[in-house]
Amino acid sequence: MIADDFTFANVRLAVTAIAEHVKSKAQEPIILVAYDTRFYSEEFSQLAVDTLQHHGIRTLLCETFTPTPAVAFEIMRRKLDGAINFTASHNPAQYHGLKFSSADAGPALPEVTRDIEARVEKMIAKDAISPAATSHGKKSASEKVNLRESYLKRLEELVHFETLRKAKPSLVVDALHGCGAGYLDRTLTDHGVTVRSMRAERDCLFDGTGPDVSEENLAPLSKAVVDSKATAGLATDGDADRFGLVDLDGTWIQPNLILALVYDYLVETRKWKMPAARSVATTQMIDAVAKLHGQTVHQTPVGFKYIGQLIREDKIALGGEESAGLTIRGHIPEKDGILACLLVAEMIAARGASIGEQVRSMYKRLGREFWPVRENLHLSDEQKAKAVKRVAVDASTLAGRKVISIDRTDGAKFVFDDGSWMLLRLSGTEPLLRLYVEAESAAASSKLTQEASQWVLQN
């Protein structure tokens, strides 16, 4: 939280450790520094520049708020040694964050994170931050860069804008006061698509809710879509790495379903006869779509870095997570909410059907429905400890259901004999136990969610 643990002192520590890590990997490193629309983002970024330059590292500083996917693409394009991005992504306004991306343009892998953490611990133990790096004196000058044009040019190579333009859709774009403003709306307008833009100005408080692409936060977008009789509503979160979709009737669409639809669409239109990748918490509708096309699915732990690895190795057509993260073959090993929105708009244009119609059509092709649900369980430490102990046991039945397999890729995922499943895992970013379930109908998912919650909370 800003001013509590996200402070100048802690930023200095983290950036100093990153500087040491980078210098151990490259002789003359160049690091990009970027930031989002949050409170004090510019000041934290300048501190990072000062600290990096104090350690002899050449820095490139973004001129203005910049989306995470544009940062990742710039690392690849310029072959940089990494980037420090000041963003708390979709989290509420009181949070800030510092994200380090490696030279491979993806989120830092666990071994990189461990190295940086170890360096921080050594500095704390020795009380060893140098005075020059802590001074509030003259700011270091840095090379300023604007990443928009090169990133938008890259999108033109990935999206069939001609298909979009011919269909003449009317779209509402919601930037949620984040970095997507001037990117998603701009590229659509540049390609002759009718766009109405909303929440494009900076607001450090994000309307008092937060820049998450949740159903609740996108209620204003739903209203705007219905009121303007638009084809669809497209949204990006605070740093534009996540996507949000609203159908023409104002219905918020589950990211899980979008991943399965876009994968199917890409295999058909790009002729990429390749597997997909999803996290263990993401819908198995993707697996069913892959089977339709004679393909398989790579299952990963939660965390986009694992999917990024498969993109780098060119092993998949699409990688996605239920928390609205998506990327595709040949692109960045990082979530891209802007690209996701454009691909969905293209898919609607090409198929001449709303998202809801396409979901129903897909269910028919698959011969069953998929209803994923995610619940956040706010538990006491004692309850959490009991829950962790409970899921550690290999059970043959659970909540009165027959268990056919247990997967411990990340947390514990119990698959039942009717094809439904539940996963329990501790959140990596919040003090929560996350419960994920999926079944063949809304009623079945709701029942399973209720039973699973009760099972977790049993003494």
Side-chain angles (χ1 to χ4, degrees):
M1 286 180 75
I2 297 169
D4 185 357
D5 41 19
F6 200 91
T7 61
F8 284 120
N10 283 338
V11 166
R12 264 187 221 104
L13 267 174
V15 175
T16 301
I18 290 168
E20 289 179 358
H21 167 80
V22 170
K23 284 176 80 174
S24 74
K25 302 286 177 191
Q27 282 194 319
E28 295 181 352
I30 307 172
I31 296 290
L32 175 67
V33 177
Y35 54 94
D36 69 6
T37 60
R38 286 170 190 273
F39 177 71
Y40 250 51
S41 275
E42 294 93 333
E43 287 81 359
F44 287 125
S45 300
Q46 184 60 52
L47 175 63
V49 168
D50 296 346
T51 306
L52 291 168
Q53 292 194 358
H54 173 74
H55 285 84
I57 294 173
R58 183 179 158 201
T59 60
L60 304 175
L61 175 63
C62 289
E63 277 180 358
T64 185
F65 322 117
T66 305
T68 290
V71 172
F73 178 65
E74 194 69 5
I75 296 171
M76 284 173 64
R77 190 179 80 87
R78 291 198 191 217
K79 297 185 170 55
L80 301 174
D81 297 288
I84 292 173
N85 188 5
F86 286 89
T87 177
S89 190
H90 60 291
N91 288 289
Q94 63 267 37
Y95 290 90
H96 217 315
L98 184 160
K99 179 174 181 172
F100 176 62
S101 298
S102 311
D104 57 20
L109 289 168
E111 58 269 25
V112 174
T113 307
R114 281 194 292 271
D115 180 63
I116 292 165
E117 286 171 346
R119 292 173 190 277
V120 168
E121 281 167 14
K122 270 187 195 165
M123 281 186 280
I124 291 170
K126 291 179 182 173
D127 197 18
I129 289 279
S130 64
T134 61
S135 69
H136 288 282
K138 188 170 165 256
K139 291 177 180 177
S140 306
S142 57
E143 296 171 61
K144 295 283 179 72
V145 290
N146 193 311
L147 313 188
R148 185 160 62 179
E149 299 312 317
S150 54
Y151 169 73
L152 294 186
K153 200 173 167 191
R154 174 66 184 138
L155 292 179
E156 289 181 357
E157 297 164 0
L158 299 168
V159 179
H160 294 172
F161 281 105
E162 189 58 31
T163 303
L164 243 175
R165 188 166 48 243
K166 279 181 184 167
K168 296 188 168 71
S170 164
L171 301 169
V172 184
V173 171
D174 187 352
L176 283 161
H177 304 295
C179 293
Y183 278 78
L184 180 54
D185 49 353
R186 153 84 188 277
T187 194
L188 285 165
T189 306
D190 283 355
H191 289 90
V193 178
T194 303
V195 172
R196 178 188 160 193
S197 187
M198 60 188 287
R199 294 196 274 194
E201 70 288 348
R202 184 183 195 180
D203 172 7
C204 293
L205 296 178
F206 304 104
D207 290 341
T209 55
D212 185 17
V213 282
S214 63
E215 184 173 10
E216 187 184 359
N217 284 355
L218 294 186
L221 175 60
S222 294
K223 185 177 185 308
V225 168
V226 173
D227 289 351
S228 62
K229 296 184 170 57
T231 311
L234 314 175
T236 50
D237 75 334
D239 66 331
D241 68 343
R242 296 173 192 236
F243 64 88
L245 274 304
V246 168
D247 209 358
L248 48 74
D249 62 356
T251 305
W252 177 79
I253 306 289
Q254 264 259 14
N256 272 298
L257 307 180
I258 294 295
L259 298 175
L261 285 183
V262 173
Y263 174 53
D264 176 65
Y265 177 71
L266 288 174
V267 174
E268 281 181 3
T269 58
R270 307 314 196 251
K271 308 301 178 199
W272 292 342
K273 293 281 183 184
M274 297 173 76
R278 59 160 179 79
S279 71
V280 66
T282 302
T283 180
Q284 291 189 192
M285 184 174 170
I286 296 172
D287 304 52
V289 170
K291 198 173 173 187
L292 263 190
H293 293 290
Q295 297 301 318
T296 54
V297 168
H298 295 269
Q299 179 173 278
T300 71
V302 173
F304 213 79
K305 50 187 170 276
Y306 304 107
I307 287 169
Q309 197 74 32
L310 294 165
I311 286 286
R312 279 191 287 269
E313 293 163 7
D314 196 27
K315 287 184 174 175
I316 54 175
L318 171 144
E321 287 198 320
E322 55 78 37
S323 54
L326 172 159
T327 191
I328 66 171
R329 183 188 186 200
H331 192 41
I332 53 173
E334 176 64 279
K335 299 188 286 285
D336 191 336
I338 297 166
L339 174 66
C341 286
L342 291 170
L343 289 172
V344 171
E346 181 200 314
M347 181 178 74
I348 294 167
R351 290 179 166 173
S354 70
I355 308 172
E357 287 167 341
Q358 292 187 47
V359 170
R360 289 187 286 277
S361 168
M362 180 59 78
Y363 284 160
K364 276 187 188 159
R365 283 171 66 198
L366 299 175
R368 62 157 288 183
E369 296 185 7
F370 293 80
W371 290 81
V373 172
R374 181 176 89 178
E375 290 273 312
N376 292 332
L377 305 178
H378 296 265
L379 308 179
S380 66
D381 287 345
E382 189 187 347
Q383 286 174 315
K384 258 192 284 190
K386 279 182 181 174
V388 167
K389 199 180 279 186
R390 172 159 290 162
V391 299
V393 177
D394 288 348
S396 56
T397 59
L398 191 154
R401 297 162 189 266
K402 188 176 180 192
V403 177
I404 59 165
S405 71
I406 302 171
D407 188 314
R408 300 193 184 276
T409 302
D410 188 343
K413 183 177 185 176
F414 299 88
V415 181
F416 304 111
D417 58 353
D418 62 354
S420 62
W421 57 268
M422 64 170 263
L423 165 71
L424 281 158
R425 57 177 289 274
L426 292 167
S427 166
T429 54
E430 297 170 82
L432 302 168
L433 186 70
R434 295 207 197 277
L435 166 66
Y436 307 81
V437 309
E438 183 168 72
E440 275 200 41
S441 69
S445 277
S446 178
K447 186 168 186 280
L448 179 53
T449 303
Q450 198 178 0
E451 288 172 359
S453 301
Q454 286 170 350
W455 179 80
V456 168
L457 295 168
Q458 271 175 265
N459 291 323

